[in-house]
């Protein structure tokens, strides 16, 4: 039955995908059920907020600044073809707040913190530290997973605000100081075209992406098996899966919200 | 005799591999029971059934007469508080220092003040010969010290039962002896029940009140160390004399 093999493997891939989706959602449900029950581990949540948020600031500032700068540069060249250089400011600001701010911030944090979550939980799994939590009557979902998810949902919008702001400043520096756009017009056009909903929708996206990157990172780590190699695999898979999901849900959320 | 843990007709498979095949075992209260058997033969799986880390496909696990396989999380956690477990590589939390590791169960499950916790931690560390090691990180400890720190954490809540998963594997003979002595002392001093998994027979004879041998997913012999030595089952004889030839296929 050689002809059936490809169909078989396609079917298996689909089933695996479905099973994984189910497991990820179950982990999410478990984590949020723990939200209703004490103890609430504020100290752990703050620790994760520091790790996900404060320690990502440098990366986010650099990403935001260069993105804003290059965006100003590119759009200037485009707009100057028909004499609309005055729109550079608003273009940069809109692109950053609606798309690039949340998406790039979350992708960078996925690489930094999502991978670290998978590696840390994966190591804890393969060295039986997760079992040790169970044995000591502490639920690892509540102790390890929930604080990471909450911290990410809270901190990614904050980081996105930083990226938005720094990005617009980067665009301003390039647009006004390098390309000679009038500073007043640059700012006035931003104010004219940008609405508060552009920013808030971007932040909602960021919160949602924060959920994705932490949930996927924790899921891959939590169900790691196979020693050091398994930890490496979990880390890679977490980054790839979270990044793809962020980009896919970016489309979905944009289609729904704007 | 009063059995604190009873495994009754446990079946467990992982995928297609049958690991436990109708295993039954009783652990008497206040004594040390050693489970011996081949590497990869499912000894750790037996231990993990006792504390609900693994649920059997079929069978009952009675702890203090209650079937823990039927319990929900909350009830199971109550039962788990009467256990301490020493994992194979100690499973210390490597994000915390030794003192915080030992204090962890106390902080989670007691209302002791930090001062009392500090005193309890120092006392437990002294019991395992690690006085003053509170500030060290697990990564700075040798294998033997990690196991001792793990034991200090396992006895922190003064449990009724301690499970040891291969406590002496990978240690040199002197440390093996020291750990065995520690297991024996702990059991005698705290009057607890100990279940030890091992393939170190010399150690087993020294610390055990009872020895049970696991083979092909069942307990094929159990009894006092002397009883085991006199057991005429060729499988048991082959194992305790460490011969490559016999009914057990080695390679």
């Amino acid at each position: 039955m050689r002809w059936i093999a490809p169909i078989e493997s396609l079917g298996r891939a689909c089933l695996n995908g479905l099973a994984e989706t189910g497991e990820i959602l179950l982990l999410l449900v478990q984590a949020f059920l723990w939200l209703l029950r004490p103890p609430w581990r504020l100290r752990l949540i703050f620790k994760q907020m520091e790790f996900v948020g404060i320690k990502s600031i440098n990366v986010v500032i650099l990403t935001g600044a260069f993105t804003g700068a290059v965006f100003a540069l590119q759009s200037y060249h485009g707009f100057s073809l028909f004499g609309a250089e005055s729109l550079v400011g608003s273009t940069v600001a809109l692109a950053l707040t609606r798309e690039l701010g949340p998406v790039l911030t979350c992708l960078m944090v996925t690489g930094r913190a999502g991978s670290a979550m998978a590696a840390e939980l994966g190591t804890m799994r393969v060295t039986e530290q997760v079992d040790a939590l169970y044995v000591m009557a502490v639920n690892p979902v509540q102790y390890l997973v929930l604080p990471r998810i909450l911290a990410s949902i809270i901190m990614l919008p904050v980081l996105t605000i930083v990226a938005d702001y720094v990005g617009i400043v980067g665009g301003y520096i390039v647009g006004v100081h390098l390309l000679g756009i009038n500073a007043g017009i640059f700012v006035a056009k931003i104010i004219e075209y940008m609405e508060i909903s552009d920013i808030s929708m971007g932040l909602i996206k960021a919160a949602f992406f924060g959920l994705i990157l932490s949930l996927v990172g924790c899921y891959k780590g939590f169900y790691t098996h196979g020693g050091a190699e398994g930890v490496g695999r979990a880390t890679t898979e977490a980054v790839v899966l979270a990044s793809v999901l962020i980009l896919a849900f970016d489309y979905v959320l944009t289609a729904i919200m704007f | 005799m009063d059995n604190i843990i009873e495994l009754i007709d446990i079946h467990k498979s992982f995928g297609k591999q049958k690991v436990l095949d109708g295993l039954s075992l009783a652990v008497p209260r206040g004594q040390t029971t050693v489970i011996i058997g081949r590497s990869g033969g499912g000894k750790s799986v037996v231990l993990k059934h006792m504390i609900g880390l693994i649920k059997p496909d079929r069978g009952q696990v009675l702890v203090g007469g209650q079937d823990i396989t039927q319990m929900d999380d909350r009830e199971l956690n109550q039962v788990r508080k009467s256990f301490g477990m020493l994992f194979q590589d100690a499973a210390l939390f490597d994000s915390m220092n030794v003192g915080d590791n030992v204090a962890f169960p106390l902080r989670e499950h007691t209302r002791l003040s930090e001062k009392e916790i500090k005193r309890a931690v120092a006392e437990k560390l002294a019991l395992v010969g690690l006085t003053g090691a509170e500030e060290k990180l697990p990564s700075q400890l040798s294998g033997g010290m990690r196991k001792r720190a793990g034991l200090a954490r396992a006895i922190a809540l003064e449990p009724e039962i301690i499970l040891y998963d291969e406590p002496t594997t990978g240690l040199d003979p002197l440390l093996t002896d020291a750990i065995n002595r520690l297991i024996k002392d702990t059991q005698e001093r705290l009057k607890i029940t100990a279940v030890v998994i091992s393939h170190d027979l010399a150690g087993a004879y020294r610390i055990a009140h009872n020895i049970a041998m696991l083979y092909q997913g069942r307990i094929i012999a159990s009894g006092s160390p002397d009883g085991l030595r006199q057991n005429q089952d060729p499988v048991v004889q082959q194992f305790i004399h460490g011969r490559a030839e016999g009914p057990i296929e080695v390679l």
Side-chain angles (χ1 to χ4, degrees):
Chain A
M1 299 286 253
R2 236 185 25 224
W3 59 273
I4 212 166
I7 303 174
E8 218 177 80
S9 55
L10 179 70
R12 195 171 302 128
C14 288
L15 283 178
N16 287 345
L18 277 178
E20 191 164 40
T21 311
E23 281 173 357
I24 293 178
L25 291 178
L26 273 178
L27 186 64
L28 179 66
V29 171
Q30 272 185 55
F32 278 95
L33 284 179
W34 276 108
L35 201 53
L36 309 173
R37 269 208 247 174
W40 293 286
R41 300 176 181 278
L42 286 181
R43 214 175 56 86
L44 289 180
I45 297 173
F46 282 125
K47 208 173 136 193
Q48 288 303 320
M49 281 167 70
E50 187 198 2
F51 174 69
V52 174
I54 315 279
K55 295 196 172 157
S56 300
I57 278 188
N58 289 340
V59 172
V60 168
I61 286 177
L62 284 172
T63 312
F66 282 111
T67 308
V70 79
F71 214 79
L73 205 58
Q74 291 281 22
S75 55
Y76 179 84
H77 287 303
F79 284 131
S80 66
L81 293 178
F82 43 92
E85 294 92 337
S86 62
L87 289 174
V88 167
S90 50
T91 308
V92 169
L94 282 175
L96 275 166
T97 52
R98 293 171 71 138
E99 278 303 319
L100 297 174
V103 171
L104 291 180
T105 302
C106 294
L107 288 178
M108 295 309 285
V109 175
T110 301
R112 227 203 106 253
S115 60
M117 289 175 194
E120 192 179 355
L121 266 59
T123 307
M124 291 186 74
R125 168 65 78 183
V126 301
T127 56
E128 297 186 304
Q129 292 174 52
V130 171
D131 282 343
L133 279 172
Y134 277 119
V135 166
M136 289 188 274
V138 173
N139 187 290
V141 173
Q142 182 228 27
Y143 189 84
L144 298 171
V145 177
L146 185 59
R148 284 171 169 77
I149 292 181
L150 287 181
S152 304
I153 294 177
I154 297 168
M155 289 317 279
L156 279 161
V158 177
L159 289 171
T160 301
I161 294 177
V162 174
D164 288 352
Y165 178 75
V166 176
I168 293 172
V169 170
Y172 179 93
I173 291 170
V174 170
V176 172
H177 294 290
L178 252 62
L179 302 170
I181 301 171
N182 181 289
I185 291 178
F186 189 96
V187 176
K189 290 287 178 191
I190 293 179
I191 296 168
E192 186 180 339
Y193 286 110
M194 201 165 72
E195 286 169 28
I196 199 75
S197 68
D198 293 317
I199 300 173
S200 58
M201 298 289 183
L203 298 186
I204 293 174
K205 278 187 185 178
F208 198 81
F209 299 158
L211 170 67
I212 292 178
L213 77 88
S214 54
L215 183 62
V216 171
C218 289
Y219 165 77
K220 287 289 181 188
F222 199 70
Y223 292 105
T224 300
H225 51 87
E229 198 192 335
V231 175
R233 197 170 46 228
T235 311
T236 315
E237 286 177 3
V239 173
V240 172
L241 182 60
S243 305
V244 171
L245 284 179
I246 285 174
L247 294 172
F249 274 94
D250 182 42
Y251 178 81
V252 175
L253 291 175
T254 307
I256 294 173
M257 290 194 303
F258 290 109
Chain B
M1 198 168 2
D2 177 19
N3 294 321
I4 192 162
I5 304 175
E6 269 182 272
L7 305 183
I8 301 168
D9 195 27
I10 302 285
H11 292 259
K12 182 71 190 176
S13 303
F14 294 107
K16 282 180 185 141
Q17 197 194 357
K18 206 164 179 57
V19 180
L20 301 182
D21 185 12
L23 174 136
S24 292
L25 171 68
V27 176
R29 189 187 295 272
Q31 299 192 348
T32 300
T33 300
V34 179
I35 303 173
I36 57 171
R38 298 196 56 197
S39 313
K43 299 192 297 291
S44 289
V45 176
V46 175
L47 208 63
K48 284 176 181 171
H49 272 91
M50 292 181 183
I51 194 165
L53 279 177
I54 298 180
K55 280 210 152 80
D57 298 335
R58 192 145 60 82
Q60 283 181 300
V61 180
L62 304 183
V63 176
Q66 288 178 298
D67 187 356
I68 64 166
T69 61
Q70 305 298 325
M71 289 182 177
D72 63 24
D73 270 5
R74 218 176 289 207
E75 294 168 313
L76 195 53
N77 276 346
Q78 280 309 316
V79 174
R80 279 174 176 157
K81 285 178 200 168
S82 58
F83 278 89
M85 181 162 178
L86 176 59
F87 287 88
Q88 214 173 102
D89 288 309
L92 296 170
F93 300 125
D94 34 38
S95 56
M96 301 177 190
N97 64 29
V98 169
D100 287 334
N101 262 289
V102 179
F104 184 84
L106 298 167
R107 291 197 177 121
E108 285 295 324
H109 299 304
T110 68
R111 294 182 182 280
L112 297 178
S113 68
E114 271 306 303
K115 217 170 120 193
E116 291 167 305
I117 286 178
K118 217 172 161 190
R119 183 149 15 95
V121 168
E123 181 197 325
K124 300 301 179 224
L125 285 175
L127 273 180
V128 298
L130 282 178
T131 305
E134 280 95 338
E135 299 299 321
K136 289 215 170 78
L137 285 170
S139 55
Q140 297 170 311
L141 301 182
S142 69
M145 287 166 86
R146 291 165 69 91
K147 290 208 172 171
R148 283 186 281 160
L151 181 57
R153 188 177 69 179
I155 59 175
L157 282 178
E158 308 195 340
E160 287 175 68
I161 309 163
I162 302 188
L163 309 178
Y164 297 89
D165 191 354
E166 309 220 356
T168 57
T169 300
L171 300 181
D172 68 49
L174 305 180
L175 263 176
T176 300
D177 186 59
I179 294 278
N180 279 332
R181 191 168 303 173
L182 200 55
I183 293 173
K184 203 170 153 72
D185 285 353
T186 311
Q187 193 273 329
E188 283 166 2
R189 193 165 350 177
L190 304 174
K191 301 275 176 272
I192 50 174
T193 309
V195 182
V196 185
I197 275 180
S198 180
H199 42 238
D200 154 38
L201 269 166
Y205 288 137
R206 272 196 46 196
I207 61 175
H209 298 101
N210 313 287
I211 300 184
M213 180 166 166
L214 176 71
Y215 180 63
Q216 291 186 338
R218 293 157 180 266
I219 298 297
I220 57 160
S222 76
S224 66
D226 283 334
L228 193 82
R229 271 192 212 114
Q230 281 148 24
N231 192 312
Q232 289 310 306
D233 186 327
V235 174
V236 177
Q237 284 298 318
Q238 184 191 347
F239 190 84
I240 63 179
H241 291 112
R243 287 190 293 254
E245 287 91 30
I248 308 177
E249 272 183 50
V250 178
L251 290 175

